Structure formats: structure tokens, C-alpha cells
């Protein structure tokens, strides 16, 4: 409590940032609540969208978690050449633009995709990627790697002493699964399921590209339709509140069903989990191979299809690419500045309300925030003038929690090691920032900037709310897909993917070399 009072009584940049951020997000949500007309504003199709959102998020989260278990187990107990590279690759879909992944899935599972061409060659019926099946397939594609990484951490968190004790007692694979692996999964899976459920609950680009129609409309897509086509702000606002309520309910549910594994602390001794032989070795190999193929096949398909078309892309695509790069750089700079101010303040004066303000962007989706900001600012500026600035601002705000998580531990360590020395030397302001903070925090700053730039580069959210003649590269790619110019859309996908990964690599690499 004293720390919180201290953070308020001494004016710190992070305190001002936290207060402004809380005012912006809570004010935006208040505007949404004020504009909402109650549940009576929602019609039968809206409730169908709510039901479909819950259903597809539940199915997607459950499939992602269940399918991730054998892959994580195989990675935990097998050692092979390229294993670390594969584990690292599992983090790539997090910064992969959603619309690029959708394009890759269409290249494989679409009407003219590799799968349907093969089915036609054998005289078998074709499959359709559009509708609920496409939405779930795309969500599993994105969230299977995340689930594998989180569950793999659970396996690695089991103390090595427990496995040594199991070996000394002669435990077989079934005994280890019963006494070690299943308790760990009961502890880890609720959090994994919740993370994926929230991602699927607030997913927009996937539903926009692969869903639609009365049977495959999510709440996010219903908000977009109510805002963009019907201009029914009351209905859009009410749908936004329903979505927030669903997210909060999911968090409460996951907390109640999580069961601690209670393994106790270990000695952090390195231990190689020995994988059983026989058919289990083959099953582990198959699980890793299928997961790798599922993740790489769509990306390779869209790359091979679009790479030769890049030089022939029309000038408006390159204009959209340049516009997206500039916006991504501004968003990354803004996100890093805000995250750094919050982290430095929290390192000196820990205050729960400041950290909570930094996590507030996770409460609402970009579409809900965009709707609220439009409600607050309408009448003062035209929607077209709002499109690009709001997109930049909201992308920075949505990336802020990830940057804050990366910076807080490093900022606290910096303050613990050098804070008193810097104070005794009266090193303050820009001098302290230039000589101490930036050199010592270069690595997490580079990672945070790269992540923010990559996420902003691939965002297809707020920009779709406003009619604009200045599209970003993801929006231009979506327009090409709607015009059935799939070759140009594939080339756009390759370009967008290359720029996103390049931005992340440049910032992250720059931070490591600083």
C-alpha cells in the first residue's frame, strides 16, 4: 500500500502513462457501454453469432490442447538433430500475420488447393474450407504451436528428482503418466485452454476471410457488420460488451478448474527424460512429423505460389506495403516508449494499479476499442481521417502488455544492481536513459520493439472499420482475395510475411548486438 501511495505522490512518467492508459481504455469501454441499448438491441442472428463464437472457441481450444499433448510429450522425451530449431519454429505463428496463414490454408485446402486437386484426381468429393470448418482449422493452425510450447514447459517444470525416483522404483510409461504427467496436465491444461479460448473468442481476420454467413459469424464479425454496413452503433456496442463478458467468464472458469500439481521444488538438476522404445517411439516420431507438416505445408504452399509473382505486383500494393511499414514502426516506437516508462516506474515504485493499467489492453479486442474511440470522437473528425492514426494507436496499445512482460524483470534487475549507484552520481533524466537504461535493457527492448512491429504489420482489425482509400498491406491483400486475384494475393502474402519477420529479426537482433 505504501508503495502504491509513493508511486502517486512522486510524479513518475510511468504513473502518468498508466493513468492515461486506464482513462483511455476504461473511457472507451464506458462509451461502448453508454452507447449500448441493452440486450433488446440484439436480434436472433446476433445471438446465433454469440452461440457460434462460444462453440467454435470451445472446439478450437479443446482440439488445440488435446492435439498438443502427444506433440509436447514427444518433444519432451526425444532428442534429435534440429529439435531446438523446431521448438523455436513453434513460436513463429505468433508473429505470422493472420491473413497470410489464411492464404496458406486456402492454398492447401481451398477449392483449387493441393488437397482438392488430389481428391479430384481420384474422383473423390471435394472439401470446403469456408464456414465453421475453416474457422476451426485456422484456429488450430495458429494455436497448436502455442499449446505445444506451454505444455512442453509443464513437462520441463517437473523436477528431475521425480523422474529419477520413478526410475528407481521401476515405473513404466503408464506409471509415469499416472503419477507425474497427468497431475502436471491437470495443472497446465486449464491455462492453455483459456489462452487459446480467448484468442479464438476475439479472432477477427480468420472469421472475416473464412467464416461469414449466418452459420459462421462470430461476435467480432457481427460487430464489424453492425458498424461497417448497418452503422448501428448501439448494436455494435452491445455485442462488444457481450464479448468482454465472455472473456471475463472464461477467466473465472479457468481459475476454478485449475488443480495445482504439487510436485514441490527440485534442485534444478539437468535430467534427460528417457523416452520408451517400441511402438511409443514410432508414435512420438509420427506426432512430431504430422505437427511439423501441418504447420509448414500451408506456408510453403503460399510461398511457392506467390514468390514468382512479387515483381509483377501493381504499384498500389507497394504503396500499401510502404504505408504499413511506416505505421508498424510508429506503433513499435510508441509501444516501446510506453512499456519502458511503465517498467521503469514499476521497478522503482511497485504499484499494482500501474501494472494492472498496463495489462488493461487484454480486456477488450481492437475492434471493441475502435468502436469505442469512434463513438468518442465522431462529430469532431471524419472517419477516413481517423483510420490510420487510430490503427497505429490501437496496435501500439495492444502490443503494450507483451512489451511490459518482457521489460519488467529486466527493469527490476537494473534498478536492484545500479539504481543506488546512479542516484548517488545524480544520474537522471536523459543522461540516465542514454548511459544506463538503454544499454542495459537493449535486449528486451529489441524483442519488444520487434514483436510490436511484427504484430502491427500484420494487423487486419481496426483499419477494416473505416472506409479508407489508403489501405494497409493486409487490407490490400484481403481486397485482392475478395476480387479472386489469388495469384496477386499469394504474392502479397509472401511480401507481408517477409516484412513482418524481417522487422522482428532486425529489432531483436539489434537489441542483442547493442
Amino acid at each position: 500500500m505504501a508503495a502504491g501511495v509513493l508511486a502517486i505522490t512522486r510524479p513518475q512518467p510511468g504513473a502518468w502513462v498508466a493513468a492515461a492508459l486506464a482513462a483511455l481504455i476504461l473511457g472507451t469501454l464506458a462509451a461502448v457501454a453508454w452507447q449500448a441499448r441493452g440486450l433488446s438491441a440484439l436480434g436472433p442472428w446476433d445471438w446465433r453469432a454469440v452461440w457460434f463464437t462460444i462453440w467454435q472457441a470451445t472446439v478450437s481450444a479443446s482440439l488445440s490442447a488435446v492435439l498438443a499433448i502427444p506433440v509436447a510429450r514427444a518433444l519432451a522425451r526425444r532428442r534429435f538433430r534440429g529439435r531446438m530449431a523446431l521448438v523455436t519454429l513453434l513460436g513463429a505463428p505468433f508473429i505470422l500475420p493472420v491473413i497470410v496463414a489464411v492464404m496458406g490454408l486456402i492454398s492447401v485446402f481451398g477449392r483449387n488447393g493441393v488437397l482438392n486437386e488430389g481428391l479430384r484426381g481420384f474422383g473423390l468429393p471435394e472439401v470446403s474450407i469456408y464456414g465453421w470448418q475453416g474457422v476451426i482449422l485456422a484456429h488450430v493452425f495458429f494455436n497448436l504451436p502455442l499449446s505445444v510450447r506451454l505444455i512442453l514447459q509443464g513437462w520441463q517444470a517437473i523436477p528431475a528428482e521425480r523422474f529419477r525416483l520413478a526410475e528407481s522404483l521401476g515405473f513404466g510409461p503408464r506409471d509415469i503418466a499416472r503419477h507425474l504427467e497427468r497431475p502436471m496436465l491437470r495443472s497446465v491444461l486449464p491455462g492453455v485452454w483459456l489462452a487459446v479460448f480467448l484468442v479464438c473468442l476475439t479472432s477477427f481476420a480468420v472469421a472475416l476471410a473464412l467464416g461469414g454467413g449466418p452459420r459462421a459469424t462470430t461476435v467480432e464479425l457481427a460487430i464489424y457488420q453492425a458498424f461497417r454496413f448497418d452503422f448501428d452503433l448501439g448494436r455494435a456496442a452491445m455485442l462488444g460488451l457481450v464479448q468482454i463478458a465472455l472473456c471475463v467468464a472464461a477467466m473465472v472458469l479457468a481459475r476454478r478448474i485449475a488443480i495445482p500439481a504439487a510436485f514441490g521444488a527440485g534442485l534444478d538438476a539437468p535430467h534427460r527424460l528417457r523416452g520408451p522404445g517400441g511402438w511409443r517411439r514410432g508414435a512420438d516420431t509420427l506426432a512430431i512429423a504430422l505437427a511439423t507438416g501441418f504447420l509448414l505445408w500451408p506456408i510453403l504452399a503460399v510461398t511457392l505460389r506467390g514468390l514468382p509473382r512479387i515483381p509483377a505486383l501493381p504499384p498500389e500494393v507497394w504503396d500499401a506495403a510502404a504505408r504499413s511499414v511506416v505505421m508498424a514502426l510508429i506503433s513499435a516506437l510508441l509501444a516501446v516508449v510506453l512499456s519502458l516508462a511503465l517498467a521503469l516506474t514499476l521497478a522503482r515504485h511497485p504499484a499494482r494499479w500501474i501494472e494492472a493499467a498496463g495489462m488493461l489492453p487484454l480486456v477488450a479486442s481492437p475492434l471493441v476499442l475502435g468502436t469505442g474511440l469512434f463513438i468518442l470522437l465522431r462529430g469532431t473528425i471524419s472517419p477516413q481521417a481517423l483510420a490510420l492514426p487510430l490503427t497505429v494507436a490501437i496496435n501500439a496499445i495492444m502490443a503494450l502488455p507483451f512489451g511490459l512482460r518482457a521489460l519488467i524483470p529486466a527493469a527490476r534487475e537494473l534498478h536492484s544492481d545500479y539504481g543506488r549507484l546512479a542516484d548517488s552520481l545524480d544520474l537522471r533524466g536523459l543522461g540516465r536513459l542514454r548511459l544506463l537504461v538503454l544499454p542495459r535493457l537493449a535486449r528486451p527492448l529489441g524483442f519488444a520493439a520487434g514483436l510490436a512491429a511484427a504484430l502491427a504489420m500484420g494487423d487486419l482489425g481496426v483499419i477494416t472499420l473505416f472506409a479508407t482509400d489508403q489501405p494497409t498491406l493486409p487490407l490490400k491483400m484481403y481486397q485482392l482475395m475478395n476480387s479472386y486475384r489469388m495469384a496477386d494475393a499469394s504474392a502479397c502474402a509472401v511480401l507481408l510475411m517477409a516484412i513482418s519477420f524481417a522487422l522482428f529479426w532486425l529489432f531483436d537482433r539489434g537489441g542483442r548486438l547493442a
Side-chain angles (χ1 to χ4, degrees):
M1 182 66 183
V5 173
L6 185 62
I8 296 175
T9 55
R10 292 185 182 180
Q12 296 288 329
W16 292 108
V17 170
L21 191 63
L24 175 64
I25 295 178
L26 296 179
T28 301
L29 296 181
V32 170
W34 174 77
Q35 185 69 38
R37 300 195 304 266
L39 296 178
S40 60
L42 304 183
W45 294 113
D46 296 317
W47 288 114
R48 178 169 290 186
V50 172
W51 165 248
F52 176 74
T53 300
I54 298 173
W55 177 80
Q56 64 83 20
T58 302
V59 174
S60 299
S62 301
L63 283 176
S64 299
V66 169
L67 294 176
I69 293 174
V71 183
R73 181 194 288 118
L75 289 173
R77 64 188 186 184
R78 302 297 172 187
R79 297 296 183 271
F80 52 90
R81 184 175 297 177
R83 176 182 176 275
M84 292 306 300
L86 179 59
V87 173
T88 303
L89 182 65
L90 291 175
F94 187 74
I95 60 173
L96 180 70
V98 176
I99 194 68
V100 173
V102 169
M103 188 71 225
L105 292 172
I106 292 175
S107 298
V108 175
F109 301 99
R111 179 176 177 80
N112 296 317
V114 178
L115 180 62
N116 277 324
E117 287 182 356
L119 292 175
R120 282 195 293 267
F122 287 100
L124 298 174
E126 300 178 11
V127 297
S128 175
I129 195 176
Y130 298 100
W132 63 267
Q133 61 271 30
V135 172
I136 292 175
L137 178 67
H139 283 159
V140 173
F141 174 83
F142 269 106
N143 296 297
L144 178 62
L146 173 64
S147 302
V148 171
R149 288 289 295 268
L150 294 176
I151 297 175
L152 180 60
Q153 290 176 7
W155 247 286
Q156 294 171 339
I158 300 176
E161 291 77 16
R162 303 299 179 271
F163 287 111
R164 289 197 177 96
L165 178 61
E167 290 177 0
S168 66
L169 295 174
F171 277 17
R174 291 185 180 180
D175 299 314
I176 291 177
R178 177 183 177 185
H179 295 285
L180 295 179
E181 295 177 339
R182 290 176 191 169
M184 178 275 296
L185 290 174
R186 284 198 299 269
S187 175
V188 171
L189 278 181
V192 174
W193 187 90
L194 172 63
V196 177
F197 183 83
L198 291 177
V199 170
C200 299
L201 204 64
T202 57
S203 173
F204 172 68
V206 169
L208 181 67
L210 299 177
R215 294 186 177 180
T217 297
T218 62
V219 173
E220 282 273 286
L221 194 54
I223 294 172
Y224 167 72
Q225 292 168 347
F227 184 101
R228 186 74 175 80
F229 297 109
D230 303 332
F231 201 68
D232 189 344
L233 295 181
R235 182 164 142 252
M238 193 62 228
L239 286 167
L241 292 181
V242 169
Q243 185 184 72
I244 293 172
L246 292 176
C247 293
V248 172
M251 293 179 184
V252 173
L253 177 63
R255 281 195 173 189
R256 288 186 175 273
I257 63 177
I259 303 175
F263 287 125
L267 299 177
D268 295 327
H271 175 66
R272 175 180 172 180
L273 176 60
R274 297 178 182 177
W279 66 269
R280 290 183 176 87
R281 180 184 298 276
D284 288 346
T285 303
L286 181 63
I288 294 174
L290 289 177
T292 304
F294 176 63
L295 296 175
L296 293 184
W297 190 13
I299 303 304
L300 290 176
V302 73
T303 301
L304 294 175
R305 184 177 183 182
L307 193 59
R309 291 281 304 176
I310 290 181
L313 284 173
E316 58 267 23
V317 172
W318 295 104
D319 292 339
R323 188 176 302 113
S324 290
V325 170
V326 172
M327 293 172 62
L329 293 176
I330 297 173
S331 292
L333 177 62
L334 183 58
V336 166
V337 169
L338 296 178
S339 301
L340 181 61
L342 289 171
L344 292 178
T345 298
L346 285 169
R348 293 177 65 89
H349 307 295
R352 289 186 178 180
W353 74 271
I354 294 180
E355 189 169 357
M359 295 295 111
L360 270 179
L362 299 177
V363 174
S365 71
L367 230 58
V368 174
L369 291 180
T371 302
L373 287 174
F374 180 86
I375 292 171
L376 289 173
L377 300 176
R378 65 174 177 162
T380 62
I381 191 169
S382 67
Q384 286 191 350
L386 283 173
L388 299 186
L390 280 185
T391 300
V392 169
I394 291 180
N395 283 337
I397 290 173
M398 298 308 295
L400 194 149
F402 303 106
L404 193 58
R405 286 295 98 196
L407 284 170
I408 284 179
R412 286 174 174 164
E413 183 179 354
L414 173 69
H415 179 68
S416 174
D417 293 343
Y418 299 99
R420 291 183 179 180
L421 176 61
D423 290 339
S424 67
L425 296 174
D426 198 28
L427 189 61
R428 304 180 185 278
L430 293 179
R432 185 169 184 151
L433 182 68
R434 180 173 60 88
L435 298 175
L436 177 62
V437 174
L438 293 183
R440 302 299 300 182
L441 299 185
R443 281 175 174 259
L445 281 172
F447 175 79
L451 187 61
L455 293 176
M457 187 71 201
D459 178 67
L460 181 64
V462 181
I463 191 69
T464 60
L465 288 177
F466 306 97
T468 177
D469 56 357
Q470 295 180 308
T472 59
L473 186 56
L475 182 57
K476 188 63 183 179
M477 178 182 163
Y478 176 69
Q479 292 171 348
L480 291 173
M481 292 170 63
N482 274 351
S483 302
Y484 297 101
R485 296 167 59 182
M486 302 307 288
D488 286 340
S490 297
C492 275
V494 176
L495 181 63
L496 178 57
M497 180 171 54
I499 295 175
S500 298
F501 281 112
L503 287 174
F504 176 79
W505 183 83
L506 286 172
F507 280 110
D508 187 46
R509 182 67 173 170
R512 292 176 183 273
L513 294 178

